[in-house]
Each structure stands twice: as C-alpha cells, then as structure tokens.
Amino acid sequence: MKNRFFWGSIISLIFGTAIYLLLRTSSLKVFGWLEIVNINFLNSDIRKFSIDYLEILPNWFLYSLPDGLWIFSYVCLMMYIWNFKINAHSFFWISIIPFIAIFSEFGQAIYLISGTFDFCDILFYILGFNIPFLLLFNNKHDKLLKIMSKNLKTIASIGAFAFFAFIAFGSSDDKEKTSNKEQITTENATESTNTISNEKKWTTVYSFSGNGLKKSPTFELTGNEARIKYSYKADGNVGMGMFAVYVVDEGEDIMKTGGFPEVMTQAENEESESTIQKSEGKYYLNINASGSWTVSIEELQ
C-alpha cells in the first residue's frame, strides 16, 4: 500500500502540472520562472499541439481537475511521510494545504481574496482530500511499518508543505483567473504570428533596369540564400532574343577573366527567377541583352 500511495502522489502531481503547462494561459508565473533558465515552453511544439484540442475539453478538466490532483498528491505524500498514522499531529500536516485551498475559494466568493469563485474547484478540493482517506481505511488491515521518528516526519512534512505551496504560487495567474478559452486560443494565435514574423523573408538588395549591354554599380550580399528575379523583352519581334546576366565580384572584369552567366536565355520574352550561390562580399551585374530588361537581386533576410 505504501508504494501505491507514493506513486499515486507522483503521477497525480505530474498529470496536474502537465495540464497547466500545456493548456493554461501564458500569464502563469511558472512560465516566467522557466524563461529564467532559458526554457521557452510557451513556443514548444507539444504546447501548440495541445492547444489545438482546447475547444473540446470541458472547463472542469482545464481549471478544476489540476487543483484536485495536486491536493490528492499532497495528501498521499503526507500520509506516506506519516506512515499512514492519523493523529492530531499528522492530521495537521495532512490537512493544512487542503483547508487553505478550500477556505481561499470561499474567500474569493466574498471578495476577500482576488480570484474567481468556482464551486467546481471546491468539489475537486474535497475529492482530492477525501479519496486518500477512503483508500487508507479500505486497506486498514495492512501492517504499517514505522520507518521515521516523529521529528523526521515533521521535517519531511514541512518540506512537502513548502514544495506544494511553491507549486500553488507558480500556478497562480498574473491576471485574474478566467475560464475563457478564447484568451488561450488568442495567445496561441499571437505566438504563431510572432513566430511567422520572425521567419526570414525575401528582401530586394538591388534592382537594375535598362536596355542592351550594361554594368551596374556595386551592391553587397551577406552570404544568405539569394536569387535573381528578371523580366526581359527582345527588340524587333523576331521570335527570338538574347539575354544573359553575370554576377561579378567587385574589381573583376569578365572580358578578361571570363565567367559563366547566372541566367541565359534566347527566348523572345521571359520573366522568371534563378537561385544564385554567392558568399558575402561586393558584386556588380553585367547584363548582355538584345532588348529591355529589369533585374532584381534578392536575399533571404
């Protein structure tokens, strides 16, 4: 029985915490604590995946069940610490957090404590407090071993109390408690928008227009992914043309060093794009054409 209570405490604590981390509003203090240690859980894939199912989950699952699970976890752990002996001293430590939780909920009802009163919260507090006692009395025939002195049990109880108080504080909201799922959904949409806004976009580095053979002024590339976008129209409507674009290192002359064009076509008209592979540095365009053209160099920035 002892092991069942211990592992029941651990599993219910993990489950309740998971609901908060995966499905609750980003204004919870615990998310700020995680950011201090460089854990950005709000933008994690598992949280985004979970929020997609937010609308099908009932409010009691999102807002009341975690509290009941934590109370259950606390009571089971305290019973384990006190070797399942119920007396005045052990009952004080077993019941202190459940009683604080229940009375704080009533305090919210009469506006003595900030927050929103919810009868469902009280129901889950009571269930979380009473179920371990029902399980204990159902197994009262089991022989219990004395493994800790009263002083050690008291010290362990203080530690468990502090730990669960810390969890309760971390799960509190910087804003007033709300059961509005739209708030969480909106936050998720905002996070997704911010992620999209941080993605790289194609940016025009240089644009050059003209007719026939021309060289451009120099421009700079940063070494990011780059491309040429161009449009070309041959003169004379003869059914064919000639258009070639060279991206040349500053200071070089393809008439002397030679080179391969990044774009070459003999079509009469063409509008397209082509990827170029260039390292960071300064370049210029050398255009050889039999008609009018516009060339733009873009980088992913």
Side-chain angles (χ1 to χ4, degrees), residues 202 221-228 247-249 260-263 274-281 283 297-299:
W202 286 107
L221 295 177
T222 63
N224 291 340
E225 185 177 350
R227 68 185 181 185
I228 295 176
V247 181
V248 188
D249 290 339
F260 294 96
E262 300 291 343
V263 174
S274 178
T275 300
I276 58 175
Q277 304 294 331
K278 294 292 182 181
S279 58
E280 181 179 2
Y283 301 88
I297 303 295
E298 297 182 351
E299 267 196 328

Side-chain angles (χ1 to χ4, degrees), residues 38-89:
N38 295 321
I39 299 176
N40 187 7
F41 196 85
L42 287 172
N43 290 322
S44 65
D45 291 337
I46 188 172
R47 177 175 165 86
K48 293 177 181 178
F49 174 81
S50 301
I51 289 178
D52 289 339
Y53 296 91
L54 189 64
E55 292 298 328
I56 66 174
L57 296 173
N59 283 345
W60 64 263
F61 182 92
L62 295 172
Y63 302 103
S64 300
L65 178 60
D67 298 336
L69 289 170
W70 286 342
I71 294 296
F72 177 84
S73 175
Y74 173 81
V75 173
C76 285
L77 182 60
M78 282 298 183
M79 286 183 171
Y80 179 84
I81 290 172
W82 287 95
N83 202 29
F84 307 101
K85 295 293 186 181
I86 306 300
N87 52 45
H89 197 78

Side-chain angles (χ1 to χ4, degrees), residues 22 59 77 118 150 174 270:
L22 296 175
N59 283 345
L77 182 60
D118 190 341
K150 184 176 180 180
D174 287 334
E270 187 167 298

Side-chain angles (χ1 to χ4, degrees), residues 244-258:
V245 180
Y246 297 82
V247 181
V248 188
D249 290 339
E250 182 185 32
E252 292 189 2
D253 187 347
I254 61 171
M255 298 301 294
K256 297 178 180 179
T257 61

Side-chain angles (χ1 to χ4, degrees), residues 14-283:
I14 292 174
F15 188 32
T17 302
I19 294 175
Y20 262 76
L21 292 177
L22 296 175
L23 298 168
R24 296 296 293 270
T25 174
S26 62
S27 59
L28 297 181
K29 291 182 175 65
V30 66
F31 291 118
W33 297 346
L34 291 174
E35 288 182 357
I36 293 175
V37 292
N38 295 321
I39 299 176
N40 187 7
F41 196 85
L42 287 172
N43 290 322
S44 65
D45 291 337
I46 188 172
R47 177 175 165 86
K48 293 177 181 178
F49 174 81
S50 301
I51 289 178
D52 289 339
Y53 296 91
L54 189 64
E55 292 298 328
I56 66 174
L57 296 173
N59 283 345
W60 64 263
F61 182 92
L62 295 172
Y63 302 103
S64 300
L65 178 60
D67 298 336
L69 289 170
W70 286 342
I71 294 296
F72 177 84
S73 175
Y74 173 81
V75 173
C76 285
L77 182 60
M78 282 298 183
M79 286 183 171
Y80 179 84
I81 290 172
W82 287 95
N83 202 29
F84 307 101
K85 295 293 186 181
I86 306 300
N87 52 45
H89 197 78
S90 65
F91 186 76
F92 169 80
W93 288 108
I94 292 171
S95 62
I96 183 170
I97 279 188
F99 283 3
I100 290 174
I102 292 171
F103 284 114
S104 66
E105 197 69 28
F106 283 113
Q108 292 173 0
I110 58 177
Y111 305 106
L112 289 178
I113 299 175
S114 63
T116 304
F117 171 78
D118 190 341
F119 179 78
C120 198
D121 285 353
I122 295 179
L123 176 61
F124 275 89
Y125 288 148
I126 294 173
L127 288 174
F129 178 65
N130 283 282
I131 289 175
F133 283 95
L134 295 175
L135 295 174
L136 174 64
F137 294 147
N138 190 49
N139 292 275
K140 62 182 179 180
H141 58 279
D142 289 356
K143 185 178 180 179
L144 304 177
L145 300 176
K146 295 181 179 180
I147 58 173
M148 292 191 296
S149 69
K150 184 176 180 180
N151 289 337
L152 286 177
K153 292 173 183 176
T154 301
I155 293 172
S157 298
I158 293 172
F161 172 82
F163 174 71
F164 278 85
F166 179 78
I167 291 177
F169 181 73
S171 65
S172 63
D173 198 335
D174 287 334
K175 303 174 183 177
E176 188 172 328
K177 178 182 175 183
T178 176
S179 60
N180 187 358
K181 295 179 182 178
E182 293 181 0
Q183 177 186 357
I184 305 173
T185 305
T186 301
E187 289 173 357
N188 187 50
T190 302
E191 291 164 6
S192 299
T193 301
N194 290 338
T195 300
I196 293 173
S197 65
N198 291 331
E199 292 180 354
K200 292 183 177 181
K201 298 179 180 179
W202 286 107
T203 303
T204 300
V205 175
Y206 182 71
S207 186
F208 192 37
S209 298
N211 186 287
L213 177 63
K214 282 189 171 55
K215 294 181 180 179
S216 77
T218 58
F219 56 88
E220 291 189 30
L221 295 177
T222 63
N224 291 340
E225 185 177 350
R227 68 185 181 185
I228 295 176
K229 296 187 74 173
Y230 63 91
S231 61
Y232 161 72
K233 183 177 182 181
D235 294 335
N237 296 320
V238 295
M240 62 178 298
M242 196 280 291
F243 176 67
V245 180
Y246 297 82
V247 181
V248 188
D249 290 339
E250 182 185 32
E252 292 189 2
D253 187 347
I254 61 171
M255 298 301 294
K256 297 178 180 179
T257 61
F260 294 96
E262 300 291 343
V263 174
M264 176 176 281
T265 179
Q266 293 182 329
E268 183 178 13
N269 302 294
E270 187 167 298
E271 182 173 349
S272 187
E273 63 183 57
S274 178
T275 300
I276 58 175
Q277 304 294 331
K278 294 292 182 181
S279 58
E280 181 179 2
K282 293 185 177 181
Y283 301 88

